[in-house]
Amino acid sequence: AQKITQTQPGMFVQEKEAVTLDCTYDTSDPSYGLFWYKQPSSGEMIFLIYQGSYDQQNATEGRYSLNFQKARKSANLVISASQLGDSAMYFCAMRENAGNNRKLIWGLGTSLAVNP
Amino acid sequence: NAGVTQTPKFRVLKTGQSMTLLCAQDMNHEYMYWYRQDPGMGLRLIHYSVGEGTTAKGEVPDGYNVSRLKKQNFLLGLESAAPSQTSVYFCASSYSGLAGEFSLGEQFFGPGTRLTVL
């Protein structure tokens, strides 16, 4: 069964340092997509970055990059040069491309605190 | 573009009361979703819709009903509210992509509705 695991309930990082948030997934579908969302304390869900299972290169979006290791079924989010505004919950999600509903399977999230 | 909007933002109900949460999107998305978020539980899918006039059950559908009479609106109903339905409810929508067109299909979220059932 498809599953997303985020093993770090909470993480701390010093401002301006890089941090890696872990995400492992389980699926039997060869075609899938992986998403990361940010949820600040204000509550909104913000889409950050996407990685497709057939993408040859790791996805990058500004200070966000995805360390995609397909054989290990991991899709870790790397935030470079952390800022105070990066303090938030971060959710990893997966979509299996089989089927026609675009449903996402969600991890339980990692709470990131950036210290000044 | 307003994106995805939800009405109301906050609501307090008594056990047994009913209410409807309204979700509206102006992005012409085919797919719409209702989630609930509880502490330590992440996001759980309640119901979803792949197009106007269609709905389907998600992971935790019991106690909820939905309707998608118009493409831009997705309504979530609680017929007889229970304290276990105290939660933050999120609506989301996504684009299906035209035939042959690649689409990330990322979900766009509304701001959420905080519901308390006493």
Side-chain angles (χ1 to χ4, degrees):
Chain A
Q2 58 270 39
K3 188 178 179 181
I4 291 283
T5 302
Q6 295 180 254
T7 57
Q8 308 151 313
M11 290 281 286
F12 293 91
V13 66
Q14 210 60 31
E15 193 178 7
K16 298 180 185 177
E17 292 185 350
V19 62
T20 298
L21 306 184
D22 294 342
C23 173
T24 58
Y25 59 91
D26 190 18
T27 179
S28 56
D29 188 348
S31 178
Y32 52 89
L34 296 155
F35 300 78
W36 277 92
Y37 281 80
K38 172 184 178 181
Q39 186 179 38
S41 58
S42 52
E44 71 267 34
M45 295 288 289
I46 303 166
F47 167 67
L48 295 177
I49 194 167
Y50 168 86
Q51 179 83 44
S53 59
Y54 294 123
D55 292 344
Q56 295 296 309
Q57 294 188 326
N58 288 343
T60 60
E61 287 288 346
R63 293 186 300 109
Y64 303 109
S65 61
L66 217 151
N67 183 1
F68 181 47
Q69 298 187 45
K70 195 170 180 177
R72 299 180 64 182
K73 293 189 175 180
S74 72
N76 299 338
L77 177 70
V78 180
I79 305 175
S80 63
S82 297
Q83 301 172 357
L84 296 178
D86 293 334
S87 295
M89 281 290 291
Y90 289 82
F91 291 95
C92 179
M94 176 179 67
R95 183 190 68 229
E96 292 182 335
N97 291 334
N100 192 32
N101 54 45
R102 301 240 162 181
K103 290 191 294 182
L104 295 180
I105 308 299
W106 295 84
L108 296 183
T110 295
S111 176
L112 176 67
V114 180
N115 297 325
Chain B
N1 270 355
V4 181
T5 58
Q6 292 183 232
T7 309
K9 289 186 169 53
F10 303 93
R11 186 72 186 268
V12 178
L13 290 179
K14 294 181 180 178
T15 297
Q17 287 185 318
S18 63
M19 77 164 294
T20 300
L21 282 69
L22 171 63
C23 176
Q25 52 96 3
D26 62 1
M27 296 175 283
N28 202 33
H29 287 169
E30 290 79 10
Y31 299 142
M32 296 187 75
Y33 312 84
W34 274 108
Y35 294 95
R36 60 177 289 173
Q37 184 177 34
D38 304 291
M41 302 287 285
L43 285 165
R44 293 185 291 170
L45 183 65
I46 305 171
H47 286 279
Y48 65 97
S49 168
V50 300
E52 182 179 322
T54 73
T55 62
K57 294 180 180 179
E59 183 185 355
V60 288
D62 294 342
Y64 305 95
N65 57 75
V66 287
S67 64
R68 183 106 181 261
L69 299 179
K70 292 183 179 180
K71 186 177 184 178
Q72 63 267 35
N73 295 338
F74 195 28
L75 277 63
L76 177 71
L78 286 72
E79 288 187 348
S80 179
S84 61
Q85 294 177 304
T86 293
S87 188
V88 179
Y89 291 85
F90 285 100
C91 176
S93 70
S94 68
Y95 178 54
S96 69
L98 299 173
E101 174 192 3
F102 174 75
S103 168
L104 291 186
E106 72 270 33
Q107 293 184 8
F108 295 82
F109 281 79
T113 295
R114 187 171 295 274
L115 175 66
T116 302
V117 183
L118 302 175

